[in-house]
């Protein structure tokens, strides 16, 4: 069920409608706020809009990198599973 939650990002309070857990929503807002503040520190003359865009690019880059890492782990797990299944099959056949 969606409900309105207030979050504060980069000094601005937003009311958002979400079905997410309020603690998770606050965690997301804090992450965005941290990213924006990091970008602002490195880009002192940037507008809030530019800071938000650069933070979005950073966050999206992190997300895509994590997705690639997860895909690589899943591929490796799948390969290991097939290897284990093949060894079990060989062991079962040699005993049978």
């Amino acid at each position: 069920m969606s409900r309105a939650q207030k979050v504060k990002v980069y000094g601005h309070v937003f009311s958002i409608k979400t079905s997410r857990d309020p603690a998770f929503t606050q965690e997301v807002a804090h992450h965005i706020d941290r990213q924006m503040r990091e970008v602002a520190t490195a880009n002192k003359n940037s507008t809030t809009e530019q800071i938000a865009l650069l933070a979005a690019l950073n966050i999206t880059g992190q997300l895509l990198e994590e997705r690639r890492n997860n895909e690589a782990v899943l591929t490796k797990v799948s390969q290991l599973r097939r290897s284990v299944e093949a060894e079990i099959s060989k062991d079962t056949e040699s005993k049978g």
Side-chain angles (χ1 to χ4, degrees):
M1 175 160 119
S2 290
R3 59 183 170 268
Q5 296 182 35
K6 291 197 183 297
V7 296
K8 188 174 182 180
V9 175
Y10 205 63
H12 300 278
V13 176
F14 298 93
S15 181
I16 59 172
K17 203 169 199 181
T18 180
S19 59
R20 299 272 190 176
D21 176 64
F24 179 79
T25 302
Q26 290 301 318
E27 184 179 353
V28 169
H30 288 299
H31 181 72
I32 294 168
D33 185 72
R34 270 192 316 274
Q35 290 291 316
M36 288 185 69
R37 291 185 189 286
E38 285 178 21
V39 167
T41 299
N43 299 278
K44 300 239 184 255
N45 296 323
S46 296
T47 65
T48 300
E49 184 178 83
Q50 291 168 327
I51 291 167
L53 179 59
L54 291 170
L57 288 168
N58 289 343
I59 292 167
T60 302
Q62 293 165 358
L63 172 65
L64 294 177
E65 187 174 324
E66 286 300 317
R67 282 184 180 170
R68 285 189 184 134
N69 290 341
N70 286 343
E71 288 171 8
V73 168
L74 290 174
T75 298
K76 184 66 176 173
V77 167
S78 182
Q79 292 168 345
L80 290 171
R81 180 184 50 81
R82 285 193 297 275
S83 294
V84 168
E85 288 172 348
E87 288 300 316
I88 290 171
S89 180
K90 281 197 285 190
D91 187 50
T92 303
E93 289 172 3
S94 69
K95 290 181 181 180

